Amino acid sequence: MPVPLYQAKADFFRTLGHPVRIQVLELLRQGPRPVRDLLTEIDVEASSLSQQLAVLRRAGIVSATRDGATVVYELSSPDVAHLLIDARRILTDMLADQGELLAELRAEGRAVG
């Protein structure tokens, strides 16, 4: 029985739902990177990074190629980079709205106090 689309989407977003995975994807958005470079950029143990890369690879979000002893990761689709950019824009808009509300509350508080 096929998985409903809403379930597939939920599974996809659950896969993205880890800070290390998001850090990896943000770095890979800039282009392919060897694991050693990812380790330099992300404050995490090598075994933990390896686990998170495996999750992303199994989900088909990243792909890996071997160049001798070096494993290089890259985004499997430019759409992943677009998703990260869209998420940043959405978060920026949400925070801007919260900032406006906070400013209104502060102004109201000064008027009352």
Side-chain angles (χ1 to χ4, degrees):
M1 180 163 230
V3 175
L5 180 57
Y6 64 85
Q7 182 64 51
K9 286 181 180 181
D11 293 342
F12 174 75
F13 283 110
R14 205 172 0 264
T15 299
L16 297 178
H18 192 285
V20 171
R21 292 181 213 146
I22 295 298
Q23 284 181 289
V24 165
L25 295 175
E26 288 287 357
L27 290 169
L28 295 179
R29 192 167 61 87
Q30 301 164 17
R33 298 238 183 155
V35 174
R36 70 175 173 273
D37 288 2
L38 294 172
L39 274 171
T40 302
E41 298 280 339
I42 301 172
D43 185 27
V44 68
E45 296 291 326
S47 60
S48 179
L49 179 60
S50 179
Q51 289 173 343
Q52 302 310 325
L53 287 167
V55 170
L56 292 170
R57 196 173 55 247
R58 278 193 304 274
I61 297 170
V62 301
S63 59
T65 55
R66 186 171 289 280
D67 182 15
T70 303
V71 179
V72 177
Y73 281 87
E74 65 183 317
L75 298 178
S76 61
S77 166
D79 290 334
V80 176
H82 295 279
L83 178 64
L84 294 168
I85 292 166
D86 288 344
R88 183 179 298 261
R89 183 186 43 77
I90 291 166
L91 288 170
T92 300
D93 291 347
M94 290 170 59
L95 290 172
D97 291 344
Q98 290 176 4
E100 291 171 12
L101 177 60
L102 180 59
E104 285 179 38
L105 290 171
R106 284 183 176 153
E108 202 174 279
R110 283 190 292 267
V112 173

